[in-house]
Amino acid sequence: MPHSTAERKRVVTRLRRIKGQAEAMERAVVAGTDCGDLLQQLAALRGAAHGLMADVLEGHLRERFGASADRAAPAANPQAEIDRLVVLVRSFTR
């Protein structure tokens, strides 16, 4: 989760944009929009979600392993943290 106020605001803004895209898609489906147009909107929605996921993942990695990690409390179980990150990265690449 983003920890600074600026990061949280940026993530919430992006989530609201994604929500708006999903709501627009719902309206398009109800209106009977052409499948090609829906697929284009789906691709945009997927891109927005993947972009957000990449940013949050980057922030997490920087927090855990970056310069600020030196000041943070070390992970109680570093191997468990690595395993958790591997699962996150694998889910990201699906």
Side-chain angles (χ1 to χ4, degrees):
M1 178 171 128
H3 294 284
S4 75
T5 303
E7 287 174 349
R8 279 191 206 118
K9 184 176 180 180
R10 189 173 64 247
V11 167
V12 168
T13 298
R14 289 181 76 174
L15 285 169
R16 287 181 180 153
R17 189 174 304 125
I18 290 168
K19 178 182 173 184
Q21 287 176 300
E23 289 170 347
M25 282 192 57
E26 180 181 356
R27 289 189 300 272
V29 169
V30 169
T33 300
D34 179 65
C35 290
D37 293 336
L38 287 175
L39 288 168
Q40 186 174 9
Q41 288 181 319
L42 275 169
L45 182 65
R46 181 183 60 192
H50 279 207
L52 177 59
M53 188 171 184
D55 284 352
V56 171
L57 179 59
E58 179 184 352
H60 179 71
L61 291 171
R62 290 186 186 284
E63 177 187 320
R64 286 309 273 161
F65 302 109
S68 64
D70 296 335
R71 295 185 300 275
N77 184 348
Q79 188 59 47
E81 180 70 16
I82 291 169
D83 292 343
R84 187 169 154 254
L85 288 171
V86 167
V87 169
L88 283 171
V89 169
R90 283 189 179 156
S91 70
F92 179 70
T93 59
R94 287 184 187 163

